[in-house]
Amino acid sequence: MKKQALNLSTYTSKNMQFLKNSNRAAVIRALALKKASNRTELAVYLHLTRMAISNIVNELREEDFIRESESETPCFGQPSNGRPPKQLTLTDWSITSICVNIRRYSVSCMLMDINGNTDFHSSSQLPKEADNQILMDTLIAQIGDIITKASDIPIIGIGIASIGPLDIYKKYLLNPPDFRNIRDLNIGEILEAHFHLPVYLDNDMNCASLAELFFGNGISRRDLVFLGFSSGVGAGVIMNEKILHGFGGFAGEVGHISINPFGPLCPCGQHGCIELYTMGDNILKNVGVKTFDELNRILDAEDPPQFILNCIQEYLNAMYSLVVAVANSYDPDILIMGDIDSVFINRFIPELEEYMNSHMLNHGYKHIKILPSAIGNTAPLYGAGSIVFQRVFDGELALTPTV
């Protein structure tokens, strides 16, 4: 059988197009994450020639993805006797995503651009009888409303931050515990068929960690862990600026580390999981109050009840175990805590940081800082858009010119 000759011109053309798309994505990523702010800095940061950078920037300017303006201050790489290089910024609302956050009792949506600007916020409570159809009807209504209102804004995708467990590769919501009557839902396929936009699904804590990396206290970091505590306890882990998913996408389920084999039964089947002692809903239930505002007032009083102090100590003991386990398991550059009342969590951060750094395996050789979330309870929602923008940065999601 005669072998077919390789068409080198076609191969070379495809390779050059791939390289061009990769370089375009790299320029957008560098500007979005503030790694560079002008052509000279881009050339140095991306190890590309000035001519290559100019060609890419000029093309992106013509397509209205980039704006260029005069700079008033000298920049890195600028000759001492030269004019300041023109500053490059990504054009507001030129690259946008619909963001969705699915929580245990509610669904929130908004439109966000690659600079972190947001608009068209909406939120709906899920009724007690909610099932797959009710959830999808709610999502389709909210997303459809955003698309209608933002008819003149180019939308490149839909990002969903959801409670788990999930199959993030098949975009499938599995069987989250205590999640109304919702389970086994092919959420990605349904939304892609309805709106004809690519859909990306990820765990809410993974999304929150990426939001902190792009827009919050993780800026300029390469490795971080985000811990969230509201309707569950989970960790979003960033390693080398990428989400750590694990083989099946379940990495970061730190809430189900058992610290007491004789403790209360967890929905996962184990006893004494950290989540039972540290998640926000359980803290309020254990101390007998309805809101964190009420709990904060009690703790700020001159003589808090001993019963509540005992509950808080039990909470802290579990938190000590959690932060040390995270430090030993992931060795992050920084640990960020969020998705819970900031006033409550902030009062304990100094002692948690001190305990972690004095009890982790490599204590004395490095210091891991603990910070509250810079984005607050909306970190997963911002992260839903971030997982779409991550696809742009990786060159997986192509851009359509806006002009």
Side-chain angles (χ1 to χ4, degrees), residues 102 132 135-136 160 162-176 179 182-192 199-203 248-250:
I102 300 175
N132 289 2
L135 174 60
M136 292 312 305
I160 304 174
S162 176
I163 61 172
L166 313 166
D167 186 330
I168 62 173
Y169 306 109
K170 294 181 179 178
K171 308 171 188 178
Y172 209 95
L173 191 151
L174 300 176
N175 58 337
F179 190 35
I182 301 167
R183 62 184 57 84
D184 302 323
L185 177 61
N186 196 336
I187 191 170
E189 181 179 279
I190 295 171
L191 291 179
E192 286 177 342
V199 174
Y200 303 97
L201 173 70
D202 212 328
N203 178 276
F250 297 108

Side-chain angles (χ1 to χ4, degrees), residues 65-137:
F65 290 118
I66 286 180
R67 299 286 172 86
E68 196 167 26
S69 59
E70 297 291 342
S71 173
E72 298 180 356
T73 57
C75 301
F76 171 78
Q78 172 196 339
S80 58
N81 60 346
R83 295 178 60 188
K86 293 182 178 181
Q87 294 295 286
L88 299 171
T89 55
L90 294 175
T91 306
D92 286 344
W93 302 110
S94 62
I95 305 173
T96 67
S97 167
I98 293 176
C99 312
V100 179
N101 183 200
I102 300 175
R103 293 179 177 263
R104 186 157 279 117
Y105 309 119
S106 65
V107 173
S108 300
C109 294
M110 70 180 185
L111 187 70
M112 182 170 79
D113 77 356
I114 203 165
N115 292 322
N117 301 309
T118 66
D119 204 351
F120 307 120
H121 299 251
S122 63
S123 183
S124 298
Q125 294 295 310
L126 290 174
K128 291 182 179 180
E129 67 276 11
D131 56 13
N132 289 2
Q133 188 62 52
I134 290 176
L135 174 60
M136 292 312 305
D137 289 345

